[in-house]
Amino acid sequence: MTHETGNGASAPVSLPEWRRLEAHRETLAGHSLTDLFATDTARAERLAVTAAGLHLDFSKQRLTPEIVGSLAALARARGLPAAITALFAGEPVNRSENRAAWHVALRAGETAPQAVRDVLAEMTAFVDAVRGGEWHGFNGDPVTDVVNIGIGGSDLGPRLAHAALAPPAARPRVHFAANVDPAELDDLLAGLDPAATLFVVASKSFTTAETMANARAARAWLAAAGAACEGLARHFVAVSAHPERAEAFGCARCFGFWDWVGGRFSLWSAVGLPVALGLGMPVFRELLAGARAMDDHFREAPVEDNLPALLALVGIWNRNFLGYSGQVTVPYAQRLALLPEWQQQLEMESNGKAVTPAGHVVSVATVPQVWGGVGTNAQHAFFQMLHQAPEGLPVDFVLPLPVAGGDERERQRVANCLAQAEALMRGRGDDELRHALAADGLDGEALEVAVAQRRCPGDRPSSTLLIPALDARSLGALLAAYEHKVYVQGVIWGINSFDQWGVELGKTLAGRIEAELAGKPAAAEHDASTAALLARVKAAMTSG
Ligand code: F6P
């Protein structure tokens, strides 16, 4: 039986817990973050939590411990504890598709379903064969390069994990091609040896247009290099919930997963194969273990001490009560540069919705715009906006702790992260500026103009997430924390985080337009703008 969660209950705004939070907002108005630190000397400890090795400090958010208590009460009123139980029990929490979203089962270790353990065993044998040189290409060469062809959830998770964890000397080299723009795959293939390249075609559906087009292009590249039939099949393995389609394509092997694994939650399934091929199965199992540690915490910890739930509740506070339209993530680690992109799909494809599973329009704002960039580069790109634009946006700073023996760059990496969070909160006030500018010799109107331009209002919220080390275990815990954040927010907003009907329309229309570009008659009329653009595109295609 499905637990009734917030997803099915009445609108969140009708709850007394919601109104209490609105009252908190009024009480908080006029109190700056620096005031809050001054009045509560234990604030930094009270608004922080450690779980699965990660430490989340959310004391620089514009809230108080009382507000956190009220947010937790809201989560309970929306049925969060039962929703967590339902998630872990594999109940059909994906209501519109009537299936589970059981990604936690993929990383449940000894207690995972037998089918999951069987695929992990198949992956282990295959990974060992490739890495040991026993799996070879059409002319007997061992595999030196692996190319993962997939998009969305079949790309972002493994691409991020590989970038985060692979040392430069890791072999085989692992590459990723997602974009249907030939520039990505063709540029990559130009530097590879066909006889020593293995393609992993990752697609849950095995019908995604971009992935199939890239897989066909890869097959043509191999055929042009002399691979034929049997030999060619050894260069293709699939990861899919539809093995029959992979076989029809001509893949030598297919590593399965199931309809209860959502694409953007699929890293933990055989979709993680490229990570395992590049780094070995023990590293992939560590990634699963890290996620499992976060799962255990998420399932057991009370809401007030629950790291993923707190990430979610801070987000709810910022979005629904303080009115922020965006959420920025800035990892201070080059190897985590892809984190914001991964998080974008996770959060916006999951919670970019406006209708409850029962078909009612939700009465509150749902997902903010999720974006970000890597520190310190981002400081020289969009931080100006964070410091001085009228609205500002909440930031998640993600900081792997420094490695012992690092040089000045390592100190700068860490110092910049801490400094940005402090600067956003403290700002730079007029008195301090006047003093400094007067010391530089400015006075009168020139001084006032200079003060106005340099003023940073401060009071801009952020959280800092410390990671003990950039290793597989910590990464697993980090990604699982964000996954659970998304689920908690979906429960509170009353939406299904596990479907994605909105992306279907664009896919259908792209198919029709592509058919037209291939010379077939138009299936339907276009609006005047699209028709005019199409005419220009067709002219470009036919001109010399
Ligand atoms: O963007 C829509 C989507 O369905 C995602 O949810 C999914 O991760 C991606 O396309 C790729 O789908 P598939 O793995 O079936 O190729």
Side-chain angles (χ1 to χ4, degrees):
M1 194 188 115
T2 310
H3 283 281
E4 273 307 304
T5 67
N7 290 344
S10 55
V13 279
S14 65
L15 293 170
E17 288 80 1
W18 192 276
R19 289 196 292 278
R20 190 169 317 133
L21 284 159
E22 286 173 337
H24 279 306
R25 178 186 51 212
E26 305 313 317
T27 319
L28 194 71
H31 295 281
S32 70
L33 272 168
T34 38
D35 290 346
L36 295 175
F37 272 96
T39 51
D40 180 359
T41 50
R43 180 177 168 86
E45 294 85 58
R46 293 173 77 191
L47 296 177
V49 61
T50 302
L54 308 189
H55 179 75
L56 172 69
D57 176 340
F58 57 105
S59 63
K60 295 192 190 78
Q61 295 287 345
R62 290 168 56 197
L63 41 64
T64 61
E66 293 69 37
I67 292 174
V68 174
S70 296
L71 286 162
L74 173 69
R76 278 190 284 271
R78 296 295 287 159
L80 181 62
I84 294 175
T85 304
L87 180 81
F88 280 87
E91 289 183 14
V93 293
N94 176 352
R95 302 257 198 102
S96 70
E97 296 173 300
N98 192 29
R99 60 195 187 205
W102 211 18
H103 38 284
V104 292
L106 299 168
R107 52 213 192 198
E110 294 304 304
T111 61
Q114 188 59 46
V116 168
R117 284 185 284 152
D118 289 347
V119 172
L120 283 169
E122 284 171 38
M123 286 170 67
T124 305
F126 180 69
V127 165
D128 289 350
V130 171
R131 291 174 61 80
E134 293 112 51
W135 185 277
H136 42 75
F138 65 85
N139 69 1
D141 288 352
V143 172
T144 59
D145 293 86
V146 173
V147 180
N148 188 76
I149 296 179
I151 198 163
S154 298
D155 167 69
L156 293 163
R159 198 191 279 254
L160 163 62
H162 183 265
L165 302 175
R171 294 291 180 274
R173 288 176 289 260
V174 177
H175 318 270
F176 293 84
N179 202 328
V180 77
D181 181 345
E184 188 174 29
L185 182 63
D186 291 3
D187 288 6
L188 174 60
L189 296 186
L192 300 184
D193 171 7
T197 299
L198 173 72
F199 292 95
V200 176
V201 184
S203 176
K204 181 178 172 183
S205 59
F206 225 80
T207 58
T208 300
E210 300 97 314
T211 299
M212 292 302 109
N214 274 332
R216 286 189 291 271
R219 193 170 56 187
W221 177 72
L222 270 167
C229 279
E230 169 80 348
L232 195 139
R234 296 184 62 78
H235 289 263
F236 284 92
V237 296
V239 175
S240 183
H242 289 276
E244 71 294 348
R245 295 176 190 164
E247 196 186 334
F249 179 84
C251 294
R253 300 279 301 270
C254 180
F255 299 90
F257 64 112
W258 307 272
D259 69 352
W260 47 262
V261 181
R264 49 196 174 273
F265 299 85
S266 65
L267 167 64
W268 325 99
S269 70
V271 168
L273 184 66
V275 182
L277 284 167
L279 303 173
M281 234 13 222
V283 174
F284 186 62
R285 287 187 188 274
E286 274 292 289
L287 189 74
L288 301 184
R292 183 160 69 245
M294 188 55 77
D295 292 344
D296 291 344
H297 163 78
F298 179 57
R299 187 163 43 171
E300 284 155 22
V303 180
E304 287 86 347
D305 302 320
N306 193 312
L307 190 150
L310 288 165
L311 276 176
L313 294 176
V314 166
I316 294 278
W317 176 248
N318 284 333
R319 180 76 179 117
N320 297 111
F321 298 93
L322 300 187
Y324 287 110
S325 59
Q327 166 65 51
V328 178
T329 295
V330 187
Y332 273 73
Q334 181 59 33
R335 290 182 184 282
L336 288 178
L338 297 175
L339 180 67
E341 212 178 318
W342 171 84
Q343 198 187 344
Q344 251 173 1
Q345 189 210 19
L346 178 72
E347 299 213 19
M348 296 206 281
E349 195 168 81
S350 297
N351 285 341
K353 296 165 192 169
V355 174
T356 70
H360 304 302
V361 175
V362 294
S363 52
V364 295
T366 60
V367 78
Q369 299 161 40
V370 176
W371 56 279
V374 69
T376 60
N377 307 18
Q379 291 172 205
H380 303 274
F382 58 78
F383 267 64
Q384 165 63 35
M385 172 266 186
L386 297 177
H387 286 292
Q388 281 193 315
E391 185 190 30
L393 287 175
V395 183
D396 276 2
F397 291 97
V398 178
L399 179 65
L401 288 174
V403 291
D407 62 24
E408 61 171 320
R409 294 170 298 170
E410 189 65 344
R411 288 195 300 276
Q412 282 193 31
R413 175 179 72 82
V414 178
N416 273 279
C417 179
L418 299 181
Q420 289 298 329
E422 194 173 26
L424 285 168
M425 179 179 79
R426 281 177 39 175
R428 201 162 188 211
D430 290 9
D431 290 349
E432 183 188 332
L433 279 165
R434 260 193 209 102
H435 194 257
L437 290 165
D440 284 347
L442 264 92
D443 59 11
E445 198 189 331
L447 183 137
E448 290 311 316
V449 169
V451 166
Q453 285 163 339
R454 285 160 180 74
R455 181 183 301 130
C456 288
D459 210 29
R460 304 213 155 176
S462 70
S463 295
T464 302
L465 198 46
L466 296 181
I467 308 178
L470 197 38
D471 57 20
R473 193 167 274 257
S474 301
L475 184 71
L478 174 72
L479 303 188
Y482 276 115
E483 286 182 350
H484 294 319
K485 167 196 172 180
V486 162
Y487 181 54
V488 173
Q489 292 191 331
V491 168
I492 292 175
W493 285 323
I495 53 182
N496 175 8
S497 302
F498 302 115
D499 58 14
Q500 57 282 322
W501 300 108
V503 296
E504 297 306 322
L505 174 62
K507 286 184 192 172
T508 309
L509 296 190
R512 284 189 203 158
I513 292 178
E514 195 207 331
E516 276 183 63
L517 293 177
K520 300 200 177 105
E525 278 211 357
H526 297 290
D527 62 87
S529 163
T530 308
L533 293 168
L534 200 47
R536 284 176 180 267
V537 169
K538 281 182 182 162
M541 286 174 85
T542 50
S543 71

